[in-house]
Amino acid sequence: MIDALMENILSMVYIIIGGVLISWSVHFVPVGGAPAAMAQATGIGTGTVQLAAGAGLTGLVSAGFMMNVTDNLPLILASGAVGAMIMISVTMIVGTWVYVYGVGCVPSSAKVKTDPITKYRQDLYVSQGTEGHGLPTVSFVSGVIGGCLGGIGGALVYYALIEVGLAVGLTAGAASTVTGNELVGIAAMFAIGIFFVNAVIPSYNIGGTIEGFHDPKWKKWPKAVVSSFVATILCAVVAVIAISQLGVI
């Protein structure tokens, strides 16, 4: 067991870095929860974990497709980042269409007087009794940054787990009974599990809703990152030991 950990120490470092990036990325995604679903808060009308997992897992799938073509790590991470950014961007754009043309409200934030990016006034358009509504420009940009970080994190975790499995195959040689498809499935299961662990931890910081990097709650991210660092170490140990023992007879 100790030998397996020492042989795959670099992969464990990748997994831990990926987990920390996932945790940090969640703080950028504009989560509105149930209030946003009723256009009473800024952000996307669903939960933290659902949004983070949706963006991150899309990045993981994109990275998996890229790994069929190349084993170049920067390209794999870029593919994961782009896939996650596209997914979260489409979600925010469609949500904005619903708020603007369906509900009939102007995207605005109640956390700041002016949008930090466009400098447009926000307080004039916030409906009475609400905490903002829709997705102003700053929230959209923040969400794209969150998708990028989450996609890179998910791709890095997946890449590291695949590398552990490939190392086992090379070491075991003819004694290995694990096929490529089985390895992909097992690595994906562990990557998804690690992603959900690191997507849940920041929820305690966010406490229901967050508008993006301009929200005062965003400043709490170091606490979540430290917690995710510790949690991901445990996840990495379990994942590496489990995958390194596969197919060895």
Side-chain angles (χ1 to χ4, degrees), residues 1-12 240:
M1 241 183 253
I2 300 298
D3 291 340
L5 295 177
M6 295 308 296
E7 290 171 1
N8 296 288
I9 191 70
L10 182 60
S11 293
M12 290 182 63
V240 168

Side-chain angles (χ1 to χ4, degrees), residues 131-146:
E131 297 181 6
H133 29 64
L135 286 149
T137 303
V138 64
S139 294
F140 186 92
V141 172
S142 181
V144 173
I145 294 172

Side-chain angles (χ1 to χ4, degrees), residues 24 26-28 111-112 142 202 205-206 209-225:
W24 191 32
V26 175
H27 293 79
F28 287 88
K111 303 291 184 181
V112 289
S142 181
N205 262 352
I206 293 170
T209 64
I210 187 170
E211 294 187 3
F213 57 72
H214 63 290
D215 194 305
K217 292 180 182 178
W218 184 83
K219 296 178 181 177
K220 297 180 180 180
W221 68 262
K223 296 179 181 178
V225 165

